[in-house]
Amino acid sequence: MSQRRTVRSRLERVAREIAKFGAVGAIGFVVNFLVFNVCVHGFHLAVVRSGVIATAVAIATNYVGNRYWTYRDADRSRRSREMSLFLLFSGAGLIIENGILALSHYGFGLTSPLADNIAKNVIGLGIGTVFRFWSYRTWVFRAQAVETAESFLTAGTEPVARGARVDARK
């Protein structure tokens, strides 16, 4: 019964992490959607250029939310490494998101505002979000993520202290 309770508490912790990541992502989605449509329809910029600008603004918003809320317990001693990895993986997500927009708009000729928003803000952002969650959890905000993964592997053994670094190579 104790092991079941331990697994349940770990699953609840991962569920809270996903919920927080989702809440930050929802705010980022709104920022991304608004900036994209203002750039395209207000400033009449090119679609992909507008997408890149909107994604960059949302990335900045999401970093603040993820760093100071979702992963606030993650190791803070390597801030420059964390920021570099965050920007690297966010950039890859930006390419995924806006690559799908470019393919839809220029490759398939789906140029209506609805088609652009679906390609960028539904399909591209959806795939990019899955990639970002995996990469942030695995590489960027490692202390908490590694602790959670390690705790799943060592169910029933002594728990790892919150915020402690865990060497995943063991």
Side-chain angles (χ1 to χ4, degrees), residues 2-94:
S2 174
Q3 192 169 11
R4 182 182 292 173
R5 194 174 311 133
T6 304
V7 170
R8 182 177 177 178
S9 70
R10 291 179 184 133
L11 288 173
E12 288 172 351
R13 191 174 357 166
V14 172
R16 280 192 305 272
E17 179 184 344
I18 291 170
K20 287 179 176 182
F21 186 86
V24 169
I27 293 168
F29 169 79
V30 171
V31 168
N32 199 335
F33 179 82
L34 291 174
V35 171
F36 175 71
N37 283 290
V38 165
C39 286
V40 170
H41 304 295
F43 297 126
H44 305 288
L45 297 176
V47 175
V48 175
R49 180 176 296 144
S50 297
V52 170
I53 292 168
T55 304
V57 172
I59 286 170
T61 303
N62 289 350
Y63 178 78
V64 171
N66 282 315
R67 160 64 7 237
Y68 296 105
W69 188 46
T70 307
Y71 298 106
R72 70 175 172 253
D73 295 329
D75 183 18
R76 294 175 188 231
S77 65
R78 299 170 156 189
R79 207 44 85 86
S80 62
R81 177 188 180 278
E82 174 185 289
M83 180 65 83
S84 299
L85 288 172
F86 183 87
L87 291 174
L88 174 73
F89 290 117
S90 293
L94 180 145

Side-chain angles (χ1 to χ4, degrees), residues 124-137:
L125 192 60
I127 295 169
T129 297
V130 170
F131 170 77
R132 286 180 184 110
F133 179 74
W134 169 80
S135 63
Y136 295 168
R137 174 168 228 285

